[in-house]
Amino acid sequence: MVAPVAASAVPITDQAVIAETVGRATVGSDPLAWANPSTGSAGVIEQVRPGTNDPNGCRDFVTSKQSLEGVTRFNGVACPADGSWKINGSSGLF
């Protein structure tokens, strides 16, 4: 017999962790570390700026990501959505 997978067993994506960290950060704040225990990835959000040309409260950010594949850097945009934060567009983060 196979037991159903509980909702809490679904791994949290790096995108979700980064988006929520950007949402909690103060615009222009010092670098802010993030870590995702579900994937083992971690990094530092180096910059958080007000989103350009967006009246919805979006924020531009730059982050590093350390994983088994190595260290990479990403630019992205995080926006408030339905009580949480989401990364808009294709940032290369999963």
Side-chain angles (χ1 to χ4, degrees):
M1 180 173 174
V2 176
V5 176
S8 61
V10 175
I12 298 170
T13 66
D14 293 343
Q15 270 195 350
V17 172
I18 293 168
E20 289 299 325
T21 304
V22 169
R24 286 192 314 269
T26 303
V27 171
S29 65
D30 292 333
L32 188 60
W34 64 269
N36 184 350
S38 293
T39 64
S41 299
V44 175
I45 296 170
E46 300 166 13
Q47 298 175 16
V48 177
R49 299 179 307 268
T52 53
N53 301 323
D54 194 309
N56 298 324
C58 294
R59 298 176 178 179
D60 295 335
F61 67 92
V62 177
T63 188
S64 62
K65 176 183 172 184
Q66 298 174 356
S67 66
L68 294 174
E69 291 82 34
V71 178
T72 51
R73 285 176 49 110
F74 296 96
N75 296 328
V77 178
C79 297
D82 301 324
S84 64
W85 284 78
K86 307 270 189 260
I87 293 179
N88 282 358
S90 175
S91 65
L93 295 168
F94 300 102

